[in-house]
Amino acid sequence: MVVLLSSLAQVEPGMDQRNVAFEAEYEVRVTDITEGGVRRESRELFRLYRDARGRSRLEGATVDKGRVVLRYALLTDLRRHRALLLDLATGKPVDPCHAPAGGAPPAAGLPLVGRPSAVEVGDASEEGSKVNDLGETQIEGLEARGLRVSTPSSTTEVWTARQIDQPPLLVRTMGPTRESTARLFNVRLIEPDPRLFSALDDR
């Protein structure tokens, strides 16, 4: 899985500061390129929800040797400092420290849905690096603003919606040995079913 942004960009001036409720699919594609030019691609899909209270729910699965180990929902409520990992097969909480081998979701690679802090898109201070404003465009029917960070080793584009401040609508990184894309699609600006977050209220 691609290691996604460890934290997300500061909300730009003029961006909507409210928690905009939405549902979306989230896709991560990674292509590793060997010295011989052989390309090996992997793809993961998630379902992502956020409500107007800022709570999030990420549904996915962990796979070990081609076998699904755990279908999970990762719920977070940053305002109340709560997080919960649910086994979707049983509906019961899972302790990530005691999950089956390969069962806990790799948190470093999951899209973050809390309030943003600072962004890491490579090291923009690296010698020879450049940051370019890509302006605005429409992605998934939403107004988005783009930023390109170019370093000697890679180029990354980040497109962030004005309404959905995070995760970004699209993050694309190109390097000599790895290409990765993480994107939101099928975005619907609706309030998710409250029952999706009920396990947070029970704790």
Side-chain angles (χ1 to χ4, degrees):
M1 173 184 286
V2 64
V3 176
L4 203 61
L5 307 181
S6 64
S7 51
L8 295 171
Q10 292 285 353
V11 179
E12 295 183 38
M15 289 185 73
D16 194 339
Q17 296 285 321
R18 294 172 300 133
N19 288 309
V20 174
F22 71 91
E23 298 180 358
E25 305 291 333
Y26 192 85
E27 178 189 50
V28 177
R29 284 183 182 268
V30 178
T31 301
D32 289 306
I33 307 165
T34 67
E35 289 184 5
V38 177
R39 299 169 67 89
R40 295 190 178 90
E41 183 175 287
S42 63
R43 177 176 183 255
E44 293 182 88
L45 284 174
F46 305 91
R47 183 75 185 161
L48 185 58
Y49 306 86
R50 187 171 74 187
D51 68 7
R53 293 167 55 183
R55 300 180 299 178
S56 66
R57 178 183 174 108
L58 177 78
E59 295 180 358
T62 56
V63 179
D64 184 36
K65 298 178 181 177
R67 181 177 66 90
V68 173
V69 177
L70 176 70
R71 295 190 184 279
Y72 63 83
L74 179 62
L75 285 75
T76 57
D77 184 344
L78 296 186
R79 290 180 180 177
R80 299 169 67 192
H81 305 288
R82 292 186 177 182
L84 181 64
L85 181 64
L86 292 179
D87 181 341
L88 289 178
T90 65
K92 295 181 179 179
V94 176
D95 182 346
C97 297
H98 298 95
L110 298 177
L112 303 177
V113 202
R115 274 290 163 205
S117 54
V119 74
E120 290 183 20
V121 190
D123 185 359
S125 64
E126 184 180 339
E127 185 177 349
S129 66
K130 295 188 298 184
V131 179
N132 298 103
D133 186 341
L134 300 177
E136 298 185 356
T137 191
Q138 291 268 326
I139 300 177
E140 288 290 316
L142 300 171
E143 291 184 14
R145 188 167 191 86
L147 180 75
R148 179 187 294 122
V149 177
S150 302
T151 72
S153 58
S154 67
T155 300
T156 300
E157 289 188 7
V158 181
W159 290 91
T160 305
R162 290 187 173 276
Q163 289 176 285
I164 302 173
D165 60 302
Q166 63 173 299
L169 286 176
L170 177 64
V171 179
R172 182 182 293 121
T173 299
M174 306 291 287
T177 60
R178 172 168 284 200
E179 301 170 0
S180 63
T181 301
R183 70 183 183 110
L184 285 173
F185 66 102
N186 292 337
V187 179
R188 297 193 301 159
L189 299 181
I190 63 171
E191 183 71 30
D193 187 334
R195 290 174 294 183
L196 292 170
F197 306 97
S198 61
L200 285 171
D201 297 327
D202 296 339
R203 293 181 67 80

